[in-house]
Amino acid sequence: MSQVLGLDTGAVKGGKSPLLQVDNLSVDFFRGSIRKSEPVRAVQNASLKIYQGEILSLVGESGSGKTTIARCLMCLTEATSGKLMLGSTDIRALSGGSGMRNYRKQVQMIYQDPFESLNPRDDVFSTISTPIRLLTGEKHSEVVTETVSKLLEEVGLIPSLVMKKFPHQLSGGERQRVNIARALAPNPSLLIADEPITMLDASQRLTILSLLMKLKQDRNLSILLITHDLASAKLMSDRCIIMFRGRIVESGPTDEILNNPYHPYTQLILDTLPKGKVGSKRTLDYKSSTEEVKSGCNFRLRCKYAAQKCQDEDPMLEEKSASRMAACHFPLNVA
Amino acid sequence: MLSISNLTVEYGSTRALENASLNFPLEGYTLGVVGESGSGKTTLGNSIMRLIRPPGKIVSGKIYFNDKDVMQMTPKELRSFRWKDISMIFQSAMNALNPVKTISDHIVEVLREHSDISLSEAKVRAEELLVSMGIPANRIRNYPHEFSGGMRQRAVIAMAVALSPRLLIADEPTSALDIVVQDQILALIQEEVLKHNLSLLFITHEISLLPGLVDNVAVMYAGEIVELGPIEKVLNDPLHPYTEMLLDSLLTLSSTRDMLNRPVQRQEAGFPKEGCKYTTRCKYRMEICPRERPILTEVEKGRFVSCHKY
């Protein structure tokens, strides 16, 4: 595949080169015996770019491959094929040692579940000081303590109150803030936030999003925001990518996608969004299917616009209008 | 009528539910219960079904189903009360199903346990039910692990409505599901409720699921019902400051970035022991609030709130 499947919003970004560039990333998982089974294609030919100081959202339901992309970027899952570059560093070539340490300094992740991503036996101080010691090589304990305090202040916690506390003594929102402080400890340039607000109460969600937005502005941080919620994608990011079953089905400026979706799947998730105010009774207006698709477009069984062409030919992610791409034979709303 | 009065439940020294009172007509009354984790909403649902387990304990209060005292029921009476009069859809469908039984067996068991029906009749009835829930007939002999999350939840709903109960309690039935599947499951629950004119108690932490699904809403905070009323009124004109905050922090497609510019909320320490529990977070705090605990009172027809402002 020679064409560049990335999101090129060159007009907006000028001639700047991206901080992170992913080209044609594919990840296969094997179930059962490797000899017998067919691979599950968790991610297929995904390409994306993130520029310095921007938030890019990756939207999709569970099983769409968004977390797999994040895990590849964190070197927690091995890619099957494709190219992942952070500046001039080839991420797939990293193999421990100082190269990996240097990479981890630049890229950090916030996990979805604040209840499981903190070690229950470590208090807040050691949770945050460990990455400072290991990744930045800081040895003076006073400097480390001061850095931890500063980070806690930055995420809106009161250092004197939480420093010696253990995860079980903190609320979900507080734990997520500790997670963010830990990720910020090595002063990264890219933060991967995997569903950072999903497990939190409504009143805490906005706080965490505001915090991420503030960090982006104060530190010129790039954030890859993984979410299933279009409303938070809209609030946080200028550009967004929609994934379905391992593929990017639509990408472009967030506002344009939400006002005028091209892919029927984007339309579908927009339709299921709660409207906020009192509306009419719920109706079922789409097909459901859990069947695996062997040929053609993998959304076609759930698509109400599916035609013969969708069965015969797999649609490619193509530019449908300036800076907007979609993988659909019959895109909606295209002028 | 299901009536709950002054129900208080404690887990050791923690009070999970405090003085909750609700009157629940058993025909077509739909109520959503919203609150954060730890607000007591699940405890409320579980105590109606008498499912509170030690160290949890119902310390005081009464629950009457029509004229039957639920608190005094013998184990035998409870068996016929559960599923037949009131049934429940649990949050995690996987944990509600027995992994070594087929989906069809679950329904057959519920039918046979609670009503006088032959095995073959029960099997036929189970198939009808499952198919009407949108499960293909060739899948009903499958085991729970062979089902997707949405299909399991459909099976659990089939179990819950198998004996045509009067009241259906749904405890976060969609929180483990994808957005599109969530919408389908909600539509299915609503269909059942409308078809049989059931009453519904829908417990959730997402207030945005409720419009269009229920007619009334109860907002819980720190174990207490702080506001109760018709859903349109509560959503468009919230009375309690906590409800107001909850609605303000709701993320929708019409939210704007100004929302993110509000001062980042600082950490807070526990609920106050005296006075209104919301005092520390409340922007309308008055002199009386930290001293005296407000009680739930009717401030206009059908609308209840527990706040000193009114």
Side-chain angles (χ1 to χ4, degrees), chain B residues 17-248:
Chain B
L17 191 65
E18 198 165 329
N19 269 326
S21 300
L22 272 180
N23 280 323
F24 223 97
L26 293 171
E27 273 192 6
Y29 181 81
T30 51
L31 174 75
V33 177
V34 283
E36 307 185 350
S37 43
S39 63
K41 51 194 197 304
T42 297
T43 305
L44 177 67
N46 285 349
S47 35
I48 297 174
M49 290 283 273
R50 283 267 315 265
L51 286 173
I52 302 289
R53 288 200 198 136
K57 209 176 142 217
I58 298 179
V59 193
S60 61
K62 289 191 167 65
I63 307 172
Y64 277 91
F65 184 84
N66 289 332
D67 47 1
K68 285 183 277 180
D69 186 349
V70 178
M71 303 292 293
Q72 303 301 327
M73 281 185 185
T74 60
K76 200 176 158 224
E77 285 170 319
L78 268 179
R79 278 176 87 85
S80 68
F81 168 70
R82 294 178 185 153
W83 296 108
K84 248 182 168 168
D85 291 331
I86 298 185
S87 66
M88 194 158 178
I89 304 170
F90 295 93
Q91 178 167 7
S92 157
M94 193 61 203
N95 298 342
L97 296 170
N98 186 338
V100 297
K101 279 189 175 156
T102 67
I103 295 297
S104 158
D105 285 348
H106 281 88
I107 315 283
V108 169
E109 188 184 84
V110 170
L111 289 170
R112 299 259 293 156
E113 183 68 43
H114 299 277
S115 63
D116 207 7
I117 183 171
S118 77
L119 184 63
S120 53
E121 275 174 329
K123 279 185 176 165
V124 174
R125 176 90 186 96
E127 182 170 343
E128 278 169 17
L129 257 172
L130 287 166
V131 169
S132 75
M133 295 295 145
I135 294 174
N138 62 349
R139 297 292 300 274
I140 65 169
R141 303 247 172 278
N142 284 19
Y143 289 89
H145 76 270
E146 296 173 289
F147 270 29
S148 68
M151 282 168 79
R152 273 180 222 145
Q153 204 56 277
R154 283 168 194 272
V156 171
I157 296 171
M159 260 162 81
V161 299
L163 292 154
S164 348
R166 292 317 315 149
L167 169 67
L168 191 60
I169 301 175
D171 186 4
E172 305 248 14
T174 62
S175 62
L177 303 175
D178 275 321
I179 31 177
V180 175
V181 183
Q182 162 171 299
D183 214 43
Q184 294 169 339
I185 295 296
L186 292 179
L188 183 64
I189 292 178
Q190 186 166 47
E191 212 179 280
E192 286 303 313
V193 166
L194 294 177
K195 198 161 72 191
H196 305 291
N197 201 22
L198 302 181
S199 286
L200 173 71
L201 179 70
F202 190 92
I203 300 170
T204 180
H205 65 274
E206 303 267 10
I207 199 168
S208 53
L209 295 183
L210 297 176
L213 182 71
V214 295
D215 301 329
N216 303 283
V217 63
V219 180
M220 296 194 65
Y221 184 75
E224 287 178 84
I225 297 175
V226 294
E227 178 160 5
L228 174 70
I231 185 127
E232 310 92 59
K233 294 210 168 135
V234 174
L235 290 190
N236 294 324
D237 169 33
L239 294 178
H240 198 279
Y242 173 67
T243 319
E244 189 183 326
M245 190 276 293
L246 209 59
L247 291 171
D248 279 349

Side-chain angles (χ1 to χ4, degrees), chain A residues 61-62 158 162 174 177 201 203 205 210 228 234-235 237-238 270 273-274 277 281-282 286 288, chain B residues 36-37 178-180 183-184 190 206 208-209 236 245 251 253 255-257 260 265-267 281:
Chain A
E61 58 189 19
S62 44
I158 303 163
V162 293
E174 288 165 355
R177 291 186 212 217
D201 281 322
S203 60
R205 290 184 174 174
S210 312
H228 66 271
K234 181 190 172 216
L235 208 56
S237 62
D238 296 326
L270 272 171
L273 266 187
K277 298 284 172 201
K281 297 282 181 196
R282 288 170 188 279
Y286 38 81
S288 81
Chain B
E36 307 185 350
S37 43
D178 275 321
I179 31 177
V180 175
D183 214 43
Q184 294 169 339
Q190 186 166 47
E206 303 267 10
S208 53
L209 295 183
N236 294 324
M245 190 276 293
L251 289 173
L253 280 184
S255 313
T256 58
R257 286 208 178 149
L260 297 176
Q265 214 181 49
R266 301 278 296 199
Q267 167 192 17
R281 293 167 76 182

Side-chain angles (χ1 to χ4, degrees), chain A residues 166-214:
Chain A
F166 288 87
H168 73 269
Q169 295 167 303
L170 302 172
S171 73
E174 288 165 355
R175 284 182 224 205
Q176 201 58 300
R177 291 186 212 217
V178 172
N179 257 318
I180 295 173
R182 175 176 64 180
L184 293 175
N187 199 11
S189 46
L190 172 65
L191 198 61
I192 298 170
D194 188 359
E195 304 257 16
I197 58 167
T198 312
M199 304 286 285
L200 303 179
D201 281 322
S203 60
Q204 291 291 327
R205 290 184 174 174
L206 207 59
T207 312
I208 296 295
L209 290 184
S210 312
L211 176 61
L212 288 175
M213 191 54 117
K214 190 171 143 280

Side-chain angles (χ1 to χ4, degrees), chain A residues 63-173:
Chain A
S64 62
K66 46 196 203 308
T67 299
T68 306
I69 292 184
R71 291 183 58 91
C72 283
L73 292 175
M74 291 307 293
C75 305
L76 296 171
T77 296
E78 210 173 312
T80 309
S81 65
K83 197 168 166 202
L84 291 92
M85 299 290 289
L86 182 82
S88 56
T89 316
D90 183 351
I91 302 172
R92 290 184 68 198
L94 294 172
S95 58
S98 65
M100 181 67 91
R101 223 174 3 254
N102 205 18
Y103 178 72
R104 293 242 185 273
K105 252 180 10 198
Q106 294 176 68
V107 182
Q108 283 288 322
M109 180 154 167
I110 309 166
Y111 297 87
Q112 173 170 1
D113 189 344
F115 297 87
E116 293 193 345
S117 51
L118 293 173
N119 186 336
R121 295 174 25 156
D122 285 351
D123 63 10
V124 171
F125 176 76
S126 63
T127 301
I128 299 173
S129 62
T130 308
I132 298 177
R133 282 181 222 267
L134 292 180
L135 294 176
T136 68
E138 183 58 62
K139 287 192 182 68
H140 299 286
S141 59
E142 285 142 48
V143 183
V144 172
T145 313
E146 199 182 315
T147 316
V148 173
S149 299
K150 269 195 199 142
L151 286 167
L152 288 173
E153 286 277 355
E154 195 175 355
V155 297
L157 293 171
I158 303 163
S160 56
L161 273 182
V162 293
M163 203 85 117
K164 291 277 159 256
K165 281 197 174 161
F166 288 87
H168 73 269
Q169 295 167 303
L170 302 172
S171 73

